[in-house]
Amino acid sequence: MKAVPMNNIFTLARHEVITVLRSKILLALIAIFTLTTAISVLVASYVFKAQVADYNAYVQAAQAAGVARLPPSPLHPLQLLRGSIEYIEIVGTLIAIAIGYAGVVRERSSKTMRILMSRPISTWQIFSAKILGTVAMLTILIVSMNIVAYVSIGAVSGLWLQTVDLMRLGVASLAAIAFLTIFYCLGAAAAQLSKVPLRGFMVGIGFWLIIVMIAPQIGDTMDPDNQVPGGLFNALQVQKAQEKSILAHFAGYEAVRNGIEEISVEKHYERFVFAVTGIKDIYNGKTMGFIVKDRAGDLAWLVGGLGVASGVFLWSLRRKIIIERGG
Amino acid sequence: MHVIIARHYMQLALRNRSFVAFATILIGMTIASGVIGLLSHQTIISVYNITASELQASGKAIPPNPFASASSLSLIKNMMIYIPLVGALIAIIIGNDAVAADRSAGVAKILFSRPINRAVYVRGKLLAASGILGGVLGVCLLVSCISLAIIIGHTSSVAEYVALIIFYFASFMYLLFFVLVGMISAMLLSSRLVATLSAIGVWVMVTFILPQIVSGVSPVASLNPVSQAIAYQNSQFFQFTSWFSFMSFAESYKHIAGGLLGVSSSNLLDALRFAVPITAAITALYVLTVKAAGAMSTYEGGSYE
């Protein structure tokens, strides 16, 4: 098998990153995204600060009353990232689609593809370079977001993230980069396949609306427990075990509801990352190995989604090159 | 003159595939909201009945049915989410396209070489956008009524139909704000992508960021028609940010919509909290759009992508 010259790929990938960094639009978008995340973490940190104060007051009162064994703190700073994870789902995906679209528009206006085709570079190399460049950009984006989150949580709540938290944050970040790459591929493929790129962008927005907004929203609002503020089962004073036995009567309904949610790769990303960061309480204190094993299905969806989106993008790129060559 | 401008754009808009696609999604979601509402309602009533019989069998007190006095309109409560979600994107597309179409075709330069008042131009575009938006929401209203009558099989009272009409009127006002955001961004910004993204940025700000700052509502919780209790909402931080609640249109819309659809309670004061700021914002944006229209006379025709 012929070896793929990595130099070509790196050069093209570097070009992708530099072009985006020179684009005022995309830089503005990235700045807005980081600011949004900062606001989200700051708001959560203020709430967390109040929770920490309440917990400390409880500990003092319990110690003064002579209570020897105190329950462990239920407060976990990584849970403050819930808002920023949700912004990755809502705003980050939009930005990824825009980056994909902008790349195609730039290529069409500067006719870069024709220049590339006049040189001994394969479609596979062009594709690899684009993915590599995008992953590099998304890494910059997610890392800057994490720095903002780290400083905000520590400075406002007074609790700094520990090494184990940072490792979990690293795993969540890898998942975020994979998740956003899916939307980059969709945005780029939609623009590539449309005669008018803006129409492709609107197709991307349509995908985003269905995958990110509508499918998870339907599943969420069909949840019986979400029908009453504070939860239906809470209102009916039903314990967790009894709740499960009641819901067993509605297995069909629950399967449809869950099925609608599971159509969306966004829900799988969310479930995996909520488990890793301990936002889903049952995963707090569990090892990473256990979490990955328990959420393997979600991880498989994420990897599968990335595979399908990359495949569509590669196909759109090949098709474009064939058309450019007059095929 | 503004009627001619309006008629011209209305014809163009119906050929815009993005608008047609998103309008179809909204109408489809209106049908879906009836089906979802019916399925959810039947399930929660069954959940309540099973719970009640289990509690009775174990000799415990049965809590009152939380849905006993629910309005039939609450079955289509998802509409109060689909309108700020899909409806707002349609509004942005209409507003943006109304101006962008003239920019890319070079019509703006020709139009403003003639003695046309900028306010007349903006009024014409706004009239067309309002007509299209009104048409889409009118279809949604009709679909909602049919859903209530056929899918759900419920005979709604006159008061409920009046509430439904007011709900769609409030939705129209809310979406008009985004039409103007779409128009002004297309007038001021040099690329169509930047204009579209900026308008979507304003939408993200209004729909997700402001509610989080003002009330601590998480972005995904904003998409649930049933508002969940938020911890520490009385903290100093939220006491301060609540001063800006008048700017959080999405929340005040959700509040008034929830009241009209019988999901939550709202009163005349809540209606004013929505109506006054949104009317003020629409008026201010209209004035700014007229001013921004002045720049259009300098635009060259050709690529506006």
Side-chain angles (χ1 to χ4, degrees), chain A residues 259-280:
Chain A
I260 294 172
E261 277 191 345
E262 291 199 340
I263 291 170
S264 165
V265 69
E266 182 242 33
K267 208 67 198 174
H268 295 284
Y269 160 73
E270 186 183 283
R271 286 175 184 173
F272 178 71
V273 174
F274 276 14
V276 169
T277 51
I279 290 169
K280 187 91 178 158

Side-chain angles (χ1 to χ4, degrees), chain A:
Chain A
M1 197 178 143
K2 207 174 147 186
V4 177
M6 292 304 284
N7 273 354
N8 285 347
I9 296 177
F10 286 129
T11 310
L12 288 173
R14 210 171 122 246
H15 170 75
E16 287 288 318
V17 177
I18 290 171
T19 321
V20 170
L21 293 179
R22 277 188 194 150
S23 160
K24 285 179 191 163
I25 312 165
L26 294 175
L27 278 185
L29 280 174
I30 291 167
I32 290 168
F33 181 49
T34 314
L35 186 72
T36 307
T37 311
I39 291 170
S40 152
V41 180
L42 275 172
V43 172
S45 300
Y46 277 105
V47 174
F48 191 68
K49 191 180 171 184
Q51 287 173 329
V52 170
D54 276 1
Y55 178 73
N56 289 341
Y58 156 74
V59 169
Q60 277 181 351
Q63 282 170 344
V67 178
R69 289 183 65 187
L70 290 169
S73 166
L75 305 171
H76 302 279
L78 276 185
Q79 292 181 332
L80 304 190
L81 297 178
R82 186 186 187 122
S84 56
I85 291 166
E86 290 179 355
Y87 279 122
I88 288 177
E89 293 167 14
I90 296 168
V91 187
T93 45
L94 254 181
I95 293 176
I97 290 171
I99 292 175
Y101 161 82
V104 173
V105 170
R106 197 175 55 238
E107 244 159 32
R108 283 195 189 182
S109 60
S110 61
K111 311 243 186 293
T112 325
M113 197 58 86
R114 285 186 188 178
I115 300 167
L116 283 178
M117 278 158 38
S118 69
R119 313 209 60 193
I121 299 168
S122 67
T123 311
W124 176 252
Q125 281 176 296
I126 297 173
F127 165 77
S128 307
K130 282 183 181 295
I131 295 289
L132 196 65
T134 304
V135 167
M137 265 178 316
L138 292 174
T139 307
I140 297 171
L141 186 67
I142 299 291
V143 168
S144 37
M145 211 185 92
N146 287 345
I147 293 170
V148 168
Y150 177 78
V151 175
S152 305
I153 294 171
V156 177
S157 72
L159 281 180
W160 294 88
L161 298 180
Q162 303 300 305
T163 315
V164 64
D165 297 324
L166 293 174
M167 275 171 61
R168 284 169 186 267
L169 194 57
V171 175
S173 300
L174 286 176
I177 292 165
F179 175 64
L180 293 179
T181 308
I182 295 175
F183 286 86
Y184 162 83
C185 290
L186 287 179
Q192 201 87 264
L193 295 170
S194 303
K195 278 185 186 164
V196 182
L198 192 73
R199 202 172 290 154
F201 178 64
M202 295 318 291
V203 171
I205 297 286
F207 272 124
W208 169 80
L209 196 64
I210 292 165
I211 299 171
V212 176
M213 295 289 179
I214 295 175
Q217 195 271 345
I218 291 176
D220 200 39
T221 51
M222 279 177 79
D223 188 345
D225 208 27
N226 282 346
Q227 307 293 328
V228 177
L232 173 68
F233 293 106
N234 247 349
L236 297 177
Q237 293 154 17
V238 169
Q239 301 300 313
K240 203 74 191 169
Q242 197 185 357
E243 177 187 327
K244 279 188 179 168
S245 80
I246 291 169
L247 283 177
H249 291 90
F250 306 95
Y253 176 85
E254 278 294 300
V256 170
R257 187 185 77 75
N258 200 38
I260 294 172
E261 277 191 345
E262 291 199 340
I263 291 170
S264 165
V265 69
E266 182 242 33
K267 208 67 198 174
H268 295 284
Y269 160 73
E270 186 183 283
R271 286 175 184 173
F272 178 71
V273 174
F274 276 14
V276 169
T277 51
I279 290 169
K280 187 91 178 158
D281 282 328
I282 56 164
Y283 291 101
N284 267 317
K286 297 280 190 287
T287 63
M288 191 54 72
F290 173 85
I291 295 168
V292 169
K293 200 176 162 191
D294 201 50
R295 304 304 326 177
D298 295 319
L299 208 52
W301 265 88
L302 203 56
V303 174
L306 186 60
V308 171
S310 310
V312 173
F313 178 40
L314 179 61
W315 172 71
S316 73
L317 208 58
R318 276 192 206 283
R319 192 170 168 270
K320 171 76 184 163
I321 289 171
I322 291 168
I323 292 169
E324 287 279 339
R325 283 187 173 139

Side-chain angles (χ1 to χ4, degrees), chain B:
Chain B
M1 185 65 190
H2 57 267
V3 177
I4 298 169
I5 294 170
R7 200 185 304 145
H8 173 250
Y9 178 63
M10 280 177 114
Q11 286 165 350
L12 271 182
L14 296 174
R15 282 186 229 145
N16 181 333
R17 287 187 199 173
S18 303
F19 159 69
V20 174
F22 280 87
T24 309
I25 291 177
L26 182 63
I27 294 164
M29 294 317 296
T30 310
I31 298 168
S33 83
V35 179
I36 294 166
L38 177 68
L39 287 173
S40 310
H41 185 73
Q42 284 175 343
T43 307
I44 50 181
I45 292 299
S46 304
V47 166
Y48 175 77
N49 290 337
I50 292 172
T51 311
S53 59
E54 284 189 9
L55 289 172
Q56 197 175 25
S58 58
K60 288 179 185 165
I62 302 168
N65 182 350
F67 309 100
S69 57
S71 155
S72 72
L73 296 184
S74 67
L75 299 178
I76 53 163
K77 61 179 180 285
N78 269 1
M79 284 314 292
M80 61 192 261
I81 300 300
Y82 298 145
I83 284 178
L85 212 63
V86 190
L89 287 174
I90 293 174
I92 287 171
I93 292 171
I94 297 171
N96 211 277
D97 191 56
V99 175
D102 283 356
R103 282 192 70 171
S104 53
V107 176
K109 199 167 172 70
I110 300 167
L111 208 61
F112 286 102
S113 66
R114 308 195 64 192
I116 292 173
N117 191 313
R118 288 175 303 182
V120 171
Y121 175 80
V122 172
R123 271 206 300 274
K125 293 290 182 186
L126 205 54
L127 192 66
S130 307
I132 296 163
L133 204 57
V136 174
L137 290 178
V139 174
C140 291
L141 170 65
L142 196 69
V143 171
S144 295
C145 292
I146 294 169
S147 290
L148 286 168
I150 297 173
I151 304 176
I152 301 166
H154 186 98
T155 315
S156 300
S157 66
V158 175
E160 283 177 324
Y161 278 117
V162 171
L164 192 61
I165 292 167
I166 299 172
F167 163 72
Y168 275 105
F169 179 72
S171 303
F172 174 78
M173 293 294 286
Y174 183 72
L175 297 185
L176 205 55
F177 171 80
F178 289 102
V179 167
L180 283 159
V181 168
M183 278 175 77
I184 203 164
S185 63
M187 281 175 181
L188 293 175
L189 298 162
S190 57
S191 120
R192 202 162 178 171
L193 173 68
V194 184
T196 311
L197 283 175
S198 308
I200 292 176
V202 173
W203 171 75
V204 169
M205 183 78 171
V206 171
T207 314
F208 302 108
I209 301 175
L210 276 173
Q212 190 177 25
I213 296 174
V214 170
S215 312
V217 185
S218 83
V220 169
S222 304
L223 302 176
N224 195 329
V226 179
S227 302
Q228 302 295 333
I230 294 152
Y232 294 89
Q233 213 169 20
N234 293 327
S235 68
Q236 270 188 330
F237 179 80
F238 290 123
Q239 276 177 8
F240 169 72
T241 57
S242 65
W243 283 96
F244 303 96
S245 60
F246 70 94
M247 289 164 71
S248 187
F249 303 137
E251 270 189 293
S252 49
Y253 167 77
K254 201 175 157 186
H255 207 79
I256 184 80
L260 287 164
L261 298 183
V263 179
S264 56
S265 59
S266 64
N267 51 31
L268 189 64
L269 193 65
D270 293 318
L272 288 174
R273 276 188 191 136
F274 169 70
V276 174
I278 199 83
T279 309
I282 289 170
T283 312
L285 272 181
Y286 169 74
V287 173
L288 286 173
T289 311
V290 172
K291 282 201 181 296
M296 289 190 73
S297 56
T298 61
Y299 297 148
E300 297 292 342
S303 173
Y304 178 63
E305 284 292 341

